[in-house]
Amino acid sequence: MIGSGSTANSFMSEGTQHLSAKNFFAAKTCFLQAIEADANECEAFFLLSWIAHTENQPQVACEYLKKANIIQPFNKKYLSGLASIYSQLGEFHKAIELYEGFLRMDSSQAEIFYNYACTLTKVNELGSAFEAFQKALSLDPNQLPYYMAFGQLLYHINQYRDALNVYLSALSKGLKSEGLYQNIAKLHTDFGELDESKGILLEASGIYPNNLAFIYRLSTLDPQVLTASLLDTLNKHTDESLSPDNQFYRYWLLSKFSDKEHSANNEMAYLEKAHSLFKEINTFAFDKDFYLRSLPKLGLPTLQNIQTHHNDASKALEPIFIVGIPRCGSTLLENIIVSGSESVLKGEETGAIFHAVTNHLQQNNFEKLDQNSLPGIKEQIEALYQSANLLQEKTRFTDKSLENIFLIDLILAIYPKAKIIYCDRTPLASVVSIMKNNMVTLPWAHNVNDILEYVDNSLIAIEKWHDLYSESIHTVKYENLVTEPEAESKKLMAFCGLEWNESCLNFHNNKDIMSKTASHIQVRDKINQDALTAFQKYKPFFDQYTTKYPWLN
């Protein structure tokens, strides 16, 4: 045995040298020889797995790690590696079983609880993930990634105050990162705690002076930071001297200075540069062609015999879906609805319908929806609403997800009593607002031509739905709402079957109001007419597009 171990060690030493030199073939040969000399040489299996993973052979990597894990089932490195590969292969439940087996024998490892919690979130087992994150933090309260992932989970399930407290707890322990400061500032802003947000952003800009993101976010809360000194600093920078992210924020800040100087064309020019760079340096879940070509055509071919897909629960539900062109005033409508005397849960942009549809399409090679698609999609939708704590007994909820404007037939197929509210705002006003707000998850929102095409598709879609389902759709003209808020809000509430009272128009007085959308600052203000004509100064910039899109006039 001594001889075989010595031989295995020599093969391992030689293989490690080859591995350092990235001579994978020679390294594999040595590690296989080490295993032949000693069948329990776990590290050889692990390194063979690492090579296979590097060579994009996850199944091979998985088999090697299984062998290492069998020999040493309580080795954290082997277990975490195998669980990671299972997750890569989409076999999350196998990864979960591995973690649970380890934790039954040893519940003292914070890192295993953390990895376990992260994997549980991927299969939507959020209650168990919540407990696992708590356990990880109790075992090791000095790991910033644990706080960041736990806060993200809480944010996802709409426990925003708890998410903020988790982030603040990390900061109180001296843990710091740019992302942590950004998350804290955003949540303070979402809660309307603007002074707290400013304080965090000022602190962060002092710690990270080379990150223009903090000054940019501060400028959205306090225009006074747009000083001559800041402009001079921005003008001294060149693109070559800045990281791509800082280039993006530089352009965005320069656009704000142009707005301050009433130079609409210069402002739009800087915004175009900022958007173009943002699209270049970021990735998106779906490309723009999916949004511009595929999404508008996803409607069901027919609703005949659709009642067979309703169960008693979905027949009884009366969710309220608010649709429109992005930046149309949908947040204003949602806050009116949820501020009445009757309890209506605020869903904001859940994305439930869109995610369920796209998950179904990915699982079925992106074939079109048909009647057979509905049961599976409906099940996923309900799971997503459940995870967002929106499916509560005898309580209605809102959903103002942007993409729902293309999926109204699907919505009514699943929820026949749903109320559809269309927020109709002058399209150019929305287009300008999209340009002036960075919609980070949307690939079409960073190029003027793409934005105009998306808006055009939206207008075509709502016209079609009005023709088909007029009784289920109520249109609120934004311009009428802000000039006659009481009359228009009464019509809105009546259509929803909800009682109107003055609180519907006084939502801005609610200190507990929370908005995580791009309108999180405006929602703190009383309904006003400030935005009615603000877009007009940009009209000359869009004159070149009016022939193709007459609605720009």
Side-chain angles (χ1 to χ4, degrees):
M1 291 296 295
I2 295 175
S4 66
S6 176
T7 303
N9 288 337
S10 64
F11 283 132
M12 288 298 298
S13 177
E14 184 180 352
T16 302
Q17 291 176 21
H18 287 306
L19 191 60
S20 298
K22 296 186 178 180
N23 186 348
F24 292 161
F25 180 80
K28 283 191 285 186
T29 301
C30 289
F31 295 144
L32 289 170
Q33 289 174 322
I35 291 168
E36 187 175 343
D38 182 355
N40 290 323
E41 183 52 70
C42 294
E43 195 66 11
F45 286 116
F46 175 77
L47 293 173
L48 284 167
S49 171
W50 186 90
I51 293 171
H53 184 266
T54 303
E55 294 178 336
N56 198 28
Q57 298 176 314
Q59 292 286 5
V60 175
C62 187
E63 291 305 314
Y64 281 130
L65 269 176
K66 281 182 185 177
K67 293 175 182 177
N69 194 62
I70 288 171
I71 298 167
Q72 290 189 14
F74 300 109
N75 183 302
K76 286 197 300 182
K77 181 172 71 172
Y78 302 157
L79 176 125
S80 295
L82 180 55
S84 176
I85 291 175
Y86 277 142
S87 295
Q88 181 186 342
L89 294 170
E91 298 177 354
F92 299 112
H93 288 289
K94 287 186 177 180
I96 289 169
E97 287 175 8
L98 270 181
Y99 289 129
E100 289 177 344
F102 183 99
L103 292 170
R104 278 193 293 270
M105 301 299 295
D106 182 354
S107 61
S108 65
Q109 301 297 320
E111 182 183 356
I112 299 300
F113 272 109
Y114 167 70
N115 291 334
Y116 175 49
C118 291
T119 309
L120 286 166
T121 62
K122 293 176 181 177
V123 294
N124 221 33
E125 293 184 20
L126 304 184
S128 297
F130 182 97
E131 294 175 1
F133 276 127
Q134 285 188 316
K135 185 65 175 177
L137 283 167
S138 70
L139 290 168
D140 188 351
N142 296 307
Q143 294 296 325
L144 181 58
Y146 298 2
Y147 291 95
M148 297 296 281
F150 191 25
Q152 185 178 18
L153 168 64
L154 292 166
Y155 188 85
H156 174 71
I157 61 176
N158 299 342
Q159 294 186 21
Y160 306 119
R161 183 62 68 181
D162 289 339
L164 177 57
N165 288 336
V166 164
Y167 294 139
L168 289 171
S169 178
L171 197 62
S172 72
K173 288 180 170 54
L175 304 174
K176 295 178 181 179
S177 75
E178 292 164 297
L180 178 63
Y181 276 105
Q182 288 174 1
N183 289 352
I184 293 172
K186 183 184 185 311
L187 279 163
H188 275 313
T189 303
D190 291 348
F191 279 113
E193 299 161 355
L194 303 188
D195 288 340
E196 290 85 346
S197 185
K198 290 176 192 177
I200 284 290
L201 290 169
L202 281 170
E203 181 181 332
S205 63
I207 298 171
Y208 307 104
N210 296 322
N211 188 336
L212 293 177
F214 296 114
I215 294 297
Y216 161 71
R217 288 182 169 81
L218 192 56
S219 74
T220 65
L221 304 176
D222 183 6
Q224 297 301 316
V225 304
L226 298 173
T227 62
S229 174
L230 175 59
L231 179 59
D232 185 56
T233 300
L234 294 173
N235 285 329
K236 286 179 180 176
H237 280 301
T238 62
D239 287 349
E240 292 75 20
S241 68
L242 296 172
S243 67
D245 282 340
N246 272 335
Q247 289 178 43
F248 163 75
Y249 287 115
R250 174 176 175 265
Y251 287 138
W252 210 276
L253 284 164
L254 288 170
S255 79
K256 286 184 172 290
F257 278 105
S258 296
D259 185 24
K260 187 178 177 182
E261 296 162 0
H262 307 291
S263 179
N265 281 339
N266 282 345
E267 181 186 0
M268 280 292 158
Y270 281 126
L271 287 173
E272 283 192 300
K273 288 181 178 180
H275 280 296
S276 177
L277 186 57
F278 183 84
K279 191 172 181 180
E280 181 183 326
I281 63 179
N282 287 279
T283 57
F284 304 90
F286 296 92
D287 62 24
K288 70 171 186 177
D289 285 340
F290 178 79
Y291 284 91
L292 299 179
R293 311 282 185 272
S294 302
L295 183 58
K297 300 176 183 178
L298 281 181
L300 294 168
T302 174
L303 288 183
Q304 292 177 355
N305 302 319
I306 206 65
Q307 296 295 330
T308 58
H309 296 285
H310 296 151
N311 58 29
D312 290 339
S314 65
K315 283 181 181 179
L317 285 175
E318 297 181 70
I320 300 167
F321 293 89
I322 305 167
V323 302
I325 300 166
R327 308 297 300 156
C328 64
S330 58
T331 299
L332 173 59
L333 292 184
E334 184 174 46
N335 280 289
I336 290 172
I337 290 168
V338 302
S339 297
S341 58
E342 298 174 69
S343 177
V344 179
L345 298 173
K346 184 178 181 180
E348 292 202 290
E349 296 172 5
T350 68
I353 309 290
F354 178 75
H355 289 309
V357 167
T358 52
N359 286 343
H360 173 84
L361 290 172
Q362 287 175 320
Q363 293 165 8
N364 293 275
N365 299 317
F366 283 86
E367 302 218 350
K368 288 186 178 181
L369 304 182
D370 57 30
Q371 302 293 345
N372 296 325
S373 307
L374 283 176
I377 290 175
K378 180 177 177 295
E379 183 178 343
Q380 289 192 53
I381 290 170
E382 290 178 348
L384 290 165
Y385 281 141
Q386 190 70 52
S387 70
N389 294 321
L390 292 175
L391 293 184
Q392 298 183 21
E393 190 174 355
K394 297 181 180 179
T395 305
R396 299 171 71 182
F397 65 89
T398 61
D399 183 341
K400 60 183 265 338
S401 305
L402 298 170
E403 298 84 5
N404 286 343
I405 196 168
F406 300 108
L407 301 167
I408 287 176
D409 55 348
L410 178 63
I411 290 170
L412 293 174
I414 295 173
Y415 302 112
K417 289 186 177 182
K419 301 295 184 181
I420 311 295
I421 312 298
Y422 172 55
C423 190
D424 181 12
R425 185 184 186 188
T426 301
L428 180 56
S430 291
V431 170
V432 169
S433 187
I434 292 168
M435 284 292 292
K436 288 167 71 74
N437 287 273
N438 188 29
M439 306 178 80
V440 297
T441 63
L442 302 174
W444 58 265
H446 306 284
N447 173 277
V448 173
N449 287 295
D450 294 343
I451 292 170
L452 294 174
E453 185 175 351
Y454 184 91
V455 170
D456 194 56
N457 288 340
S458 299
L459 294 172
I460 292 169
I462 198 61
E463 184 176 356
K464 177 178 69 173
W465 303 136
H466 267 304
D467 290 342
L468 291 172
Y469 314 117
S470 58
E471 292 184 0
S472 297
I473 301 174
H474 175 69
T475 297
V476 177
K477 184 72 176 171
Y478 173 82
E479 290 77 7
N480 293 344
L481 177 64
V482 298
T483 53
E484 300 179 55
E486 183 171 332
E488 291 299 320
S489 62
K490 283 181 176 178
K491 292 181 206 173
L492 168 65
M493 297 297 278
F495 176 78
C496 294
L498 296 168
E499 181 182 341
W500 182 93
N501 59 31
E502 291 184 357
S503 64
C504 294
L505 301 180
N506 293 325
F507 53 82
H508 58 285
N509 292 328
N510 182 357
K511 293 183 179 179
D512 294 327
I513 193 171
M514 199 276 182
S515 175
K516 59 183 180 180
T517 71
S519 301
H520 53 189
I521 297 176
Q522 295 95 317
V523 79
R524 312 291 162 192
D525 298 328
K526 185 177 180 179
I527 295 176
N528 60 70
Q529 302 175 31
D530 293 351
L532 276 182
T533 59
F535 68 92
Q536 293 284 6
K537 65 181 180 180
Y538 302 97
K539 194 173 185 305
F541 178 85
F542 292 94
D543 282 345
Q544 60 186 306
Y545 302 101
T546 55
T547 300
K548 185 174 182 180
Y549 301 111
W551 44 261
L552 282 170
N553 289 310

